[in-house]
Amino acid sequence: MPAVPSTLELPSSVELGLGQGGLAVARVFAPTGTAEVYLRGAHVSAWTPAGGTPVIWMSEQSEYAPGVPLRGGVPICFPWFAAHPTDATAPSHGFARLADWQLVEAREAGDDVVLVFVLTDTEASRASAWPHRFEARYTVTVGARLTLALEVTNRDTEAVSFEEALHTYLAVADIRQTEVAGLEGTPFTDRLTGPRPAESTPVRFDAETDRIYLNTPATTTVTDASTGRVITVAKQGSASTVVWNPWIDKAAAMADFGDTEYTGMVCVETCNIRDNTITLAPGENHEISASYSVA
Ligand code: BG6
């Protein structure tokens, strides 16, 4: 089994096995909820609170192959977001979602289960478009809530800057009857058309939607009118939020995204990007976290 120290002891509520494509996956069975996390990318691919329905969306067309990110779940975008600003050959959303993370800790905490994953720089990452020494520690707490906390420490001898995102794909019954509230009053960049003034109503979806909101610590809610389910995304250490649905044409253009699957998902991404890029002095660290709950 790759990327797991041989000394790691697992509680009975955690199983390590092989998932799709033969990739290593940690499966969590807490009394309060279940989850799956692929070690490749420390990628949460499922979370269902006990007695509930799946909250995290995965594409049925996702690839599970080396060098290709999973489509759905919670990709960790780091150390840059979207295309690299100067290196067109660098992977979209950074290298963290393509890297093998180490599972270093698995424990029960009351009725919850906590998994901790670590990624550090390698010769390959130092030869990449972001040549810095770092340690990233990702704590996944599975229960009636799902809490994801990414702490990055600068292990370099100079200041380093990075972007980051917990690029969560949330499951909805019908995107046309879904609204995302909490970002009213915040101007945004529409990645398709440019800067836009703040709106006074929640985001609704009837076309491709790709928005970057900066300078907002706001909690967001995703309300699915067709089922009445409300997902709350509370965040800390995050100043940016991205809302994305590819809609018809972009979904059709993506090989790892089913043509009609766009109706069942929305990304609400907890980020620090663009003007909210993080800069750390040597030895400094920063934590971004998102906590998901359902009503
Ligand atoms: C979103 C971006 O965060 O990620 C979109 O705002 C992008 O523009 C989407 O299409 C998916 O990116 P990728 O690299 O996983 O296809």
Side-chain angles (χ1 to χ4, degrees):
M1 185 69 56
V4 180
S6 54
T7 51
L8 182 74
E9 280 183 31
L10 297 176
S12 58
S13 51
V14 179
E15 281 175 10
L16 208 48
L18 296 181
Q20 306 243 32
L23 296 177
V25 68
R27 296 192 176 96
V28 176
F29 305 92
T32 45
T34 58
E36 264 187 13
V37 190
Y38 279 84
L39 273 62
R40 238 269 310 282
H43 197 125
V44 174
S45 60
W47 168 57
T48 306
T53 48
V55 179
I56 300 294
W57 179 91
M58 274 299 295
S59 170
E60 298 205 344
Q61 305 298 319
S62 177
E63 294 186 57
Y64 295 83
V68 188
L70 308 193
R71 175 64 67 194
V74 188
I76 297 175
C77 307
F78 173 86
W80 60 86
F81 181 82
H84 186 276
T86 55
D87 182 350
T89 65
S92 168
H93 290 320
F95 52 72
R97 66 175 175 167
L98 302 172
D100 283 327
W101 292 58
Q102 271 220 331
L103 175 62
V104 297
E105 200 180 320
R107 63 185 157 85
E108 290 167 352
D111 283 343
D112 293 350
V113 169
V114 179
L115 303 179
V116 181
F117 300 85
V118 168
L119 180 70
T120 53
D121 53 280
T122 59
E123 213 170 297
S125 77
R126 290 192 301 275
S128 79
W130 198 80
H132 302 293
R133 292 186 184 269
F134 71 95
E135 180 179 309
R137 205 176 161 82
Y138 188 48
T139 304
V140 176
T141 305
V142 178
R145 273 172 190 281
L146 173 72
T147 302
L148 308 175
L150 177 68
E151 181 189 72
V152 176
T153 303
N154 176 2
R155 296 267 182 241
D156 218 320
T157 52
E158 57 184 16
V160 300
S161 296
F162 56 87
E163 295 177 296
E164 57 186 352
L166 303 172
H167 187 313
T168 305
Y169 288 72
L170 296 169
V172 296
D174 182 356
I175 189 67
R176 293 185 180 84
Q177 296 188 60
T178 296
E179 61 179 41
V180 176
L183 299 164
E184 307 84 84
T186 305
F188 58 95
T189 298
D190 183 324
R191 298 194 70 202
L192 307 162
T193 58
R196 304 285 303 228
E199 294 181 342
S200 57
T201 53
V203 185
R204 299 205 56 131
F205 301 85
D206 58 9
E208 182 178 349
T209 302
D210 196 350
R211 297 180 173 193
I212 297 177
Y213 295 81
L214 298 180
N215 306 317
T216 172
T219 292
T220 47
T221 54
V222 178
T223 301
D224 195 340
S226 60
T227 60
R229 184 165 81 166
V230 180
I231 304 169
T232 298
V233 184
K235 60 180 196 161
Q236 290 195 311
S238 159
S240 331
T241 297
V242 170
V243 177
W244 180 59
N245 181 288
W247 216 252
I248 298 167
D249 293 347
K250 189 156 180 176
M254 288 188 281
D256 61 352
F257 201 115
D259 288 0
T260 56
E261 285 186 320
Y262 74 93
T263 59
M265 54 68 67
V266 63
C267 286
V268 175
E269 307 169 32
T270 297
C271 323
N272 287 304
I273 60 173
R274 307 301 188 247
D275 291 356
N276 300 137
T277 290
I278 302 289
T279 299
L280 296 178
E284 248 189 339
N285 62 1
H286 174 271
E287 183 176 282
I288 184 174
S289 68
S291 189
Y292 305 85
S293 56
V294 178

